[in-house]
Structures are given as C-alpha cells and as structure tokens.
Amino acid sequence: MAAEIHSRPQTARPVLLNKIEGHTDAVNSAVLIPKEDGVITVSEDRTIRVWLKRDSGQYWPSIYHTVSSPCSCMSYHHDSRRIFIGQDNGAVVEFLISEDFNKMNHVKTYPAHQSRVSDMVFSLESEWVVSTGHDKSVSWMCTQSGSMLGRHYFNAWASCLQYDHDTQHAFVGDCSGQITLLKLEKQTYSTVTTLKGHEGSIAALWWDPVQRLLFSGASDHSVIMWDIGGRKGRTLLLQGHHEKVQAIRYLQLTRQLVSCSADGGIAVWNMDVQREEAPQWLESDSCQKCEQPFFWNIKQMWDNKTLGLRQHHCRKCGKAICGKCSSKRSTFPMMGFEFPVRVCDECFDTIKEEDRSPLATFHEGKHNISHMDLDPTRGLMVTCGSDRVVKISHLSWRCPLLWLSRCRCLLL
C-alpha cells in the first residue's frame, strides 16, 4: 500500500499522553529532555525536579532538589547537561546533571538581579547567561568567571527574553508592551530599535534564527509576527485567543506557530500561507463613510445641529467610521482575525466566502498554561501553570519532510 504524502502540513491537535502531579505550588517552567522520556520542572515550591518515565508508563522524580527561594524560570542545555535556574530573590543558580539524570551538582550562583528573575537564556557559544528581571533590567554574565559583564535598565519590568547566539542580539519584552532589541558586547551594549505594537504587557517571545522572525504574545490576547530579516518593518497580527497569551513556539519545519493562553487555549496557526498586514487605524473628526461628526467635533455638531457619534474602526481598511456604517462583523483569517471583528459595510461586501476559511485551529488544554515546550522531532508538547499540573501531549501533525525522516530512521 502506497504511503500518502501530504503537500502541506496537516492540522496539529494535542492528544493528552500523561499528567504529572505532585507540586505544592505553581509550576513556572517545564522542558522536555531531548532523546529521553523525561521532563524537568521548576516551581514556586522551591523545587527542581527531573521526572523520568518508568516501565509503568508513569513519570516519577529521579531528582528532587530544593533551593532557598522560589524558582521562577529555567534554561536547560542538553548537550552539556547544564541547567540554570532563575529565582525569586534575583539569583541565577547553575547545576550540572549527571548522564543518568539521577544526580545534580551545584556549579555556581550568579547575583543577576535585585528581585525576581523573569526569563533567561544560556549561550554555550559565548559562555554567557542573559537574564531579565523585575528590577527592570537585563543582565549578561560570564559563566566561566561568574562575573557580571553588563546590565541595561528599562522603564518597566523586563518580562521575557530571546537571544540570537550568532549576532549577540537580545530581544527583551517588558510590561509596558514594548520590545527592545539590544546588541550585547563584553561590558557594553547598544540599543538597536524598539518594537511597538501591543496594547498590553509582553508575556512571551520566540525567535526563529533561520527565517529571522520574532513572535510575541501579550496580555492584549494577540500574537504579532515581526519580520526582522525583511528590514521593512512588516508585522502580522494574529487574533484568536480570549485571554493573555503566555507561551509561543514556532515550528520552522512545518511553518506552524503554536500559542497558549492563560485560559488553557491552544492555537495552531498556519504560517505557510500568504497573509496581509492589518492596516493602521486612521483618525478623523467625522465618519469617513457618511461624514457625520464624532462627539468631540463640536463645530460640525453645531453647524449640522446634530449629536456627535462614537468613533469605530474597520479592521480591514482601517478607516474611522461610525456604528451605523460598521454594523456587520466578519472573520478575515488572512489578516489574522480568526473570530468576527468590526468591518465597514463596504469592506464586508468585498470579503468572499473562501476568504473566511480558518487559517488556525483552536484546542482546549483544560488547565492554566503559563509555559510550554515542544519537541518537534517526536511531536511532543509539555505545558504547565498555576494549577500545579504538568501535561504531556502529542501533537498529531504530519509533514512530508518529517514523515520521510522518520521512515529513514526506521529503515536504518
């Protein structure tokens, strides 16, 4: 029987495989151990745990280590088996895990911040630990000497971080909704640019160094794709969540974006299609369709002897319009709107039925999701959150290249 090879990625649907319970407080980070049936978790209960799958099919902790302060985040490097733990007291602690994942030895403690560490990245190439904290700073430290190399302060809490190892650029999201791009050097730095587009605090970032795309999720329920490599300021807005977006991952092989929100929503976006940028909202003193004045346009209201109207905006053309001229709602997935949004009557008539075909699928994770990790080669996803539960799921997508690589492994 001939195998069916699909020309485009199929829908990814998470199927629950295992649940890990046992933490006494919120689990802030969970990562899958590559090439192992294992998960590493850190929690507000001050524990670092390595869970390995036993013959019974259940996960049991092979390492249970308690530190002095709640664990806020983690960065794990599998090839060197080095793990860095960010803590609520501002310190970053480095451990070395044994080959059999049954022992963990303390290496160094880095005085990275004055308050809670929010995110961090370890770079083996430069031997740096780059971290952000609630002291409104990003810092980078040398793991060989344990010394601080540099620090930069922001006007708001630095909430999340991504780092490009090749160019030594750091992307830092903060609670004001901005993303700052920094060029880091030894004991110095330079600010490259600031990205503004979200209307709420940045909760998650993901950097794809191959296509040079940056993805951001925020408390405004939206995801934005920033085309950094294109150098034209192109951005794509993706709206489909109903709560704060707290975790995102981009799968370069299948051209899919996975995002998770605080209400347990899991969205899988098809990025292998032609998408349009959402227009900038225009401002006007009167409706750009019927020319009726808005309520702040006192002069035209007086001249026309009429009451002013409330201003709205068409999501498709961006024009400032009144409620009467925008009475209809429509989805428009190619512009990122997966649920019905306000459009003017004129734009509504131009949207064809095929234009409303969804470009994303939505699933229910059935628990609060504050962090997510993916292993694309095995199709595994791990999620965790404030409900103290860690869930391991299988993402059942199929991609021709991935399918062929798996067949080749089976033949070998």
Side-chain angles (χ1 to χ4, degrees):
M1 179 178 177
E4 179 184 5
I5 300 179
H6 295 265
S7 60
R8 60 193 310 173
Q10 303 300 299
T11 299
R13 178 168 47 188
V15 178
L16 182 64
L17 299 178
N18 290 91
K19 288 173 64 175
I20 298 176
E21 300 175 300
H23 288 281
T24 59
D25 209 332
V27 183
N28 289 320
S29 183
V31 298
L32 294 159
I33 303 175
K35 303 176 184 178
E36 296 282 345
D37 284 327
V39 178
I40 305 174
T41 61
V42 298
S43 169
E44 287 288 329
D45 62 13
R46 300 187 294 116
T47 63
I48 306 163
R49 310 188 197 196
V50 178
W51 308 78
L52 296 181
K53 190 176 182 181
R54 306 304 183 185
D55 294 337
S56 63
Q58 299 300 313
Y59 285 81
W60 294 92
S62 62
I63 294 177
Y64 184 106
H65 187 86
T66 303
V67 292
S68 60
S69 181
C71 305
S72 54
C73 58
M74 129 177 78
S75 179
Y76 173 63
H77 189 267
H78 180 66
D79 292 339
S80 63
R81 301 188 313 282
R82 297 161 74 179
I83 183 170
F84 297 82
I85 310 298
Q87 296 182 272
D88 189 64
N89 61 10
V92 172
V93 186
E94 178 185 355
F95 294 93
L96 180 64
I97 300 178
S98 63
E99 291 186 15
D100 58 4
F101 295 97
N102 285 315
K103 188 177 181 182
M104 189 168 67
N105 295 318
H106 175 264
V107 179
K108 284 188 184 75
T109 298
Y110 305 86
H113 298 275
Q114 298 299 315
S115 58
R116 187 180 180 90
V117 182
S118 56
D119 203 358
M120 74 171 72
V121 174
F122 167 63
S123 172
L124 182 66
E125 293 82 358
S126 57
E127 285 288 348
W128 285 4
V129 172
V130 187
S131 62
T132 55
H134 286 185
D135 58 359
K136 302 181 181 180
S137 75
V138 57
S139 66
W140 51 107
M141 297 156 290
C142 176
T143 57
Q144 294 175 329
S145 65
S147 61
M148 177 75 67
L149 296 177
R151 187 190 300 272
H152 172 71
Y153 284 94
F154 303 92
N155 294 323
W157 280 1
S159 52
C160 51
L161 167 73
Q162 285 287 281
Y163 180 70
D164 185 81
H165 305 279
D166 295 331
T167 64
Q168 294 185 325
H169 283 96
F171 302 89
V172 182
D174 63 41
C175 290
S176 72
Q178 296 185 5
I179 304 170
T180 304
L181 174 56
L182 300 171
K183 169 67 174 177
L184 305 184
E185 304 283 356
K186 287 186 178 180
Q187 301 180 350
T188 187
Y189 67 91
S190 59
T191 302
V192 179
T193 188
T194 301
L195 307 177
K196 300 178 181 180
H198 285 288
E199 297 179 359
S201 61
I202 311 296
L205 292 173
W206 185 259
W207 169 247
D208 175 43
V210 178
Q211 291 185 276
R212 302 192 65 77
L213 301 174
L214 179 70
F215 299 89
S216 59
S219 61
D220 60 6
H221 309 172
S222 69
V223 176
I224 295 180
M225 187 203 81
W226 311 83
D227 187 3
I228 305 297
R231 296 175 180 267
K232 296 181 180 179
R234 180 172 178 260
T235 61
L236 293 178
L237 177 67
L238 305 175
Q239 291 190 333
H241 286 284
H242 299 286
E243 272 294 339
K244 178 180 181 179
V245 180
Q246 302 196 119
I248 49 178
R249 291 290 187 275
Y250 178 63
L251 304 171
Q252 203 277 331
L253 182 63
T254 60
R255 300 296 197 274
Q256 289 173 309
L257 177 71
V258 183
S259 58
C260 303
S261 57
D263 60 354
I266 301 173
V268 182
W269 308 84
N270 181 7
M271 305 304 294
D272 195 26
V273 293
Q274 188 68 33
R275 290 182 178 269
E276 295 181 15
E277 283 189 77
Q280 293 290 327
W281 286 2
L282 303 177
E283 296 299 328
S284 176
D285 292 329
S286 57
C287 176
Q288 293 181 304
K289 295 293 183 181
C290 66
E291 298 183 352
Q292 289 297 306
F294 294 130
F295 62 83
W296 60 83
N297 191 349
I298 305 297
K299 184 179 184 305
Q300 188 176 350
M301 289 166 54
W302 177 264
D303 293 341
N304 294 352
K305 301 296 188 293
T306 184
L307 292 175
L309 304 176
R310 182 182 175 186
Q311 177 181 261
H312 299 284
H313 287 92
C314 173
R315 291 345 186 237
K316 188 174 185 294
C317 68
K319 289 184 178 180
I321 47 179
C322 66
K324 184 179 179 180
C325 294
S326 59
S327 60
K328 298 178 181 179
R329 305 290 184 272
S330 176
T331 61
F332 198 49
M334 68 174 60
M335 201 172 277
F337 301 114
E338 292 288 339
F339 54 82
V341 292
R342 181 186 297 271
V343 292
C344 65
D345 296 345
E346 183 178 333
C347 286
F348 182 86
D349 294 335
T350 65
I351 301 176
K352 302 177 183 178
E353 193 59 38
E354 55 266 29
D355 295 335
R356 297 185 173 93
S357 299
L359 297 177
T361 58
F362 298 90
H363 314 278
E364 180 54 57
K366 297 183 179 179
H367 76 140
N368 167 266
I369 300 176
S370 61
H371 187 270
M372 173 258 296
D373 186 37
L374 290 176
D375 185 344
T377 60
R378 293 182 290 173
L380 294 179
M381 176 177 69
V382 61
T383 57
C384 63
S386 59
D387 59 356
R388 301 173 292 178
V389 176
V390 178
K391 291 187 177 183
I392 302 172
S393 305
H394 180 256
L395 287 175
S396 54
W397 63 66
R398 285 183 290 178
C399 169
L401 294 177
L402 185 59
W403 181 85
L404 289 174
S405 65
R406 286 178 176 172
C407 289
R408 190 178 297 112
C409 293
L410 290 173
L411 291 173
L412 293 176

